[in-house]
Amino acid sequence: MNKKIVILPGDGIGKEVTTEGKRVLDKIAELYGHHFEYEYATIGHDAIEAIGDPLPEESLNKMKNSDAVLFGAVGHPKYDNDPTLKVRPEQGLLKMRKELGLYANLRPIKLFDELLEASSIKPEILKGSDILFFRELTGDVYFGEKGRKDDRNTAYDLMIYQRYEIERIAHKAFQAARTRRKKVTSVDKANVLESSRLWREVVQEIGKQYPDVQLEHQFVDAAAMNLIKSPRSFDVVLTGNLFGDILTDEASQIAGSMGMLASASVGDKVGLYEPIHGSAHDITGKGIANPLASILSAALLLDISFGMKQESAAVIKAVEAVLKAGYRTADIADASTSKDKILNTQQMGTQVVNQLAKV
Ligand code: IPM
Ligand code: MG
């Protein structure tokens, strides 16, 4: 197959990890006779420094004309420490999600058995956890009206959802549940929020079209607790933008480390694939970032955007084998054992590439 992929490294460790994700895509193309053509685009802090725009028009056009995007991360401590700055890297990310119509963010939380010990949660609670989050990505407080009033001493962000926004992501979640353990947990705060009451009403309606799928509702505070208490009780989790943002960071601990989690953002047209971790400036340039989330994002890209099931499975299998052989980046190393072989970012990429050649 011939495919056009945009590589969007972004800021911080985004560059280091997407380099490894791309190497894995290259290897897949070589092994399976595909032709992947790449274009690079800028976003975030780097784009602000270069042209004053966190999402240059040129980058957006490249993405619109591609078959898929492999993205790194955006962010820079300079902005985190100065809330008064008007132009911010994250604006590029949010605009990109909106402009590309990426309304469904899929975040699979699957624990590799080898990493049971890397989590701060007890292995017996974790073992066998396999959750798929559907986080709505283009609505909610992220995109509602926001502003200041009363001499800038009052601030607001409107939490707003429209029926069609809930319907389309609910369908995706129920459809996915059909291919899994047939359970959807919808997470909201319907005991307090009107937007959550609409969310629940619409999800209940859509649920009736999927009688073979069990639907349950949880309030977000209870869901936050249950994720840690009994992660195995979840199959598909369907939730809004803000709750999904928070719960998926929490759920990353079920997978051992943030450095392991990939995500897919899909919707109208082109799909975008990225680690759920951020730009991590504290470790940028040290070459120690875990590239597995980017590599697993590449696996999601192959599967979801290109329908290359076999190729995608090969990448996941290669990652499993590398972990099984004891290779770890620092974030997933088990301090209590000397058996782990600690690798840097590039070495980990090399292990996965070499392993791919064997399967
Ligand atoms: C994420 C990130 C972003 C979000 C930030 C960087 C704006 O945390 O993708 O989860 O809040 O959506
Ligand atoms: Mg987040």
Side-chain angles (χ1 to χ4, degrees):
M1 265 193 231
N2 285 349
K3 294 286 179 190
K4 216 178 191 177
I5 302 172
V6 168
I7 307 284
L8 190 68
D11 301 322
I13 60 165
K15 296 187 183 59
E16 300 161 40
V17 299
T18 45
T19 301
E20 304 311 312
K22 176 179 175 290
R23 278 177 74 203
V24 165
L25 289 171
D26 282 339
K27 191 71 192 176
I28 287 289
E30 179 198 317
L31 292 170
Y32 292 82
H34 300 304
H35 179 73
F36 296 156
E37 192 187 311
Y38 302 97
E39 270 203 290
Y40 281 81
T42 58
I43 188 170
H45 171 69
D46 276 12
I48 297 176
E49 295 287 295
I51 67 158
D53 183 348
L55 182 64
E57 213 42 47
E58 194 194 338
S59 297
L60 201 52
N61 286 336
K62 281 182 186 167
M63 289 186 260
K64 283 182 178 163
N65 292 317
S66 73
D67 296 307
V69 181
L70 186 70
F71 172 47
V74 290
H76 193 279
K78 172 176 143 188
Y79 306 86
D80 299 342
N81 300 330
D82 185 355
T84 64
L85 287 171
K86 289 270 176 295
V87 181
R88 314 179 64 82
E90 290 80 5
Q91 290 162 345
L93 177 63
L94 299 187
K95 183 171 172 204
M96 174 172 75
R97 289 173 177 169
K98 199 73 171 177
E99 293 269 334
L100 296 178
L102 302 171
Y103 63 82
N105 183 218
L106 281 68
R107 296 187 163 184
I109 313 282
K110 199 169 166 78
L111 177 73
F112 288 95
D113 274 348
E114 287 72 28
L115 297 183
L116 261 177
E117 304 295 333
S119 173
S120 42
I121 308 170
K122 287 196 198 101
E124 62 269 28
I125 303 270
L126 282 185
K127 205 168 168 27
S129 301
D130 179 3
I131 309 172
L132 177 58
F133 273 85
F134 277 79
R135 168 189 174 193
E136 199 287 329
L137 205 58
T138 53
D140 205 342
V141 281
Y142 276 72
F143 293 92
E145 192 191 327
K146 55 183 79 234
R148 299 264 182 124
K149 54 186 187 180
D150 302 336
D151 246 355
R152 304 189 55 74
N153 289 319
T154 303
Y156 58 92
D157 299 89
L158 181 66
M159 185 176 265
I160 181 165
Y161 265 116
Q162 290 178 262
R163 170 174 290 275
Y164 82 94
E165 295 175 308
I166 306 166
E167 282 174 356
R168 62 187 180 181
I169 187 153
H171 278 297
K172 283 209 185 292
F174 281 106
Q175 280 157 15
R178 275 192 167 155
T179 69
R180 298 170 47 98
R181 300 191 306 280
K182 297 191 172 49
K183 181 176 174 190
V184 169
T185 304
S186 176
V187 176
D188 61 33
K189 188 71 186 170
N191 50 346
V192 178
L193 304 170
E194 197 55 41
S195 54
S196 278
R197 284 191 277 273
L198 176 66
W199 181 278
R200 194 172 282 216
E201 194 182 305
V202 174
V203 171
Q204 275 167 350
E205 275 171 34
I206 303 293
K208 292 203 183 91
Q209 299 174 36
Y210 300 84
D212 51 324
V213 178
Q214 182 199 343
L215 169 63
E216 68 167 23
H217 302 273
Q218 287 189 18
F219 296 135
V220 63
D221 46 355
M225 177 183 70
N226 291 331
L227 269 174
I228 299 300
K229 199 174 133 198
S230 51
R232 276 192 301 269
S233 65
F234 294 93
D235 177 15
V236 170
V237 177
L238 165 63
T239 190
N241 204 346
L242 182 63
F243 300 154
D245 178 46
I246 299 166
L247 291 178
T248 52
D249 264 30
E250 183 194 1
S252 73
Q253 290 311 298
I254 296 168
S257 162
M258 234 5 199
M260 295 299 299
L261 286 192
S263 88
S265 300
V266 297
D268 299 338
K269 309 171 276 273
V270 60
L272 178 134
Y273 302 84
E274 62 174 302
I276 88 155
H277 64 67
S279 49
H281 281 266
D282 50 334
I283 58 163
T284 298
K286 295 187 180 158
I288 58 169
N290 184 348
L292 292 177
S294 181
I295 289 170
L296 293 168
S297 298
L300 283 176
L301 181 157
L302 292 166
D303 178 1
I304 299 174
S305 277
F306 299 170
M308 298 178 181
K309 303 267 174 223
Q310 206 190 337
E311 290 85 335
S312 175
V315 174
I316 296 169
K317 233 173 118 187
V319 169
E320 259 162 15
V322 166
L323 292 172
K324 202 162 249 152
Y327 295 109
R328 302 282 187 273
T329 42
D331 60 311
I332 49 172
D334 179 358
S336 67
T337 165
S338 54
K339 284 194 304 234
D340 286 355
K341 293 164 230 161
I342 312 283
L343 303 184
N344 66 27
T345 310
Q346 199 187 356
Q347 290 167 333
M348 184 55 108
T350 302
Q351 284 299 330
V352 177
V353 166
N354 291 346
Q355 188 60 42
L356 268 175
K358 292 186 209 155
V359 288

